[in-house]
Amino acid sequence: DTGVSQDPRHKITKRGQNVTFRCDPISEHNRLYWYRQTLGQGPEFLTYFQNEAQLEKSRLLSDRFSAERPKGSFSTLEIQRTEQGDSAMYLCASSISGGFPGELFFGEGSRLTVL
Amino acid sequence: EDKVVQSPLSLVVHEGDTVTLNCSYEVTNFRSLLWYKQEKKAPTFLFMLTSSGIEKKSGRLSSILDKKELFSILNITATQTGDSAVYLCAVRTDKLIFGTGTRLQVFP
């Protein structure tokens, strides 16, 4: 499978614990995006990378959230000291940057439940 | 602040009906508008629109963009139960900005 893959698919954790999600984009895609989606809402932008550089972070991304893409390939999204409000589906997407606007390819998502 | 607004939020129809979903937007640095279908998992791509007045069509689905009035519509004709999903509109700037989605339920 050469699509975007995310791991784990499901995570249940207790409030206050740290969690980390991983995203492996399509291999030739240099842009990688993280979104968060709660029930009944469209995906909300969190952050995106071009290669290893983090180009934009949403105001939604509190200090407890950090994302990295150290070698410009896979990315991790870490949430520290989780809160119940962090429960959501975390979606990763990738694309090729360039002058022509292309669509994003989404992974299956990582569903987080904070008890 | 960039925003994308979809209407209606929810729609219930019977098989065979035709539906029209609306998307309006206010963004800086518009590059394209995309429609996605989301069932229980990640959104799947339907259409990308960059130019006004050119209809994109795929089977029973079609979409058109009006860049002057800043909106797009997605039409589904002869709906089927398999069309039941959330339809998301997104505008591409440097990132994708999504609307809340329209939840479509098609009953037999």
Side-chain angles (χ1 to χ4, degrees), chain A residues 35 37 56 98 102 107-108, chain B residues 31 38 41-42 92 95-96:
Chain A
Y35 285 82
Q37 187 174 26
E56 187 173 345
E108 295 292 320
Chain B
R31 298 180 71 188
Q38 186 174 29
K41 298 182 179 178
R92 183 81 184 267
K95 56 188 182 285
L96 271 185

Side-chain angles (χ1 to χ4, degrees), chain A residues 1-20:
Chain A
D1 188 348
T2 57
V4 178
S5 63
Q6 293 188 243
D7 182 71
R9 296 287 309 280
H10 302 274
K11 178 72 176 178
I12 300 173
T13 191
K14 292 183 179 179
R15 189 176 54 185
Q17 299 294 304
N18 299 343
V19 296
T20 299

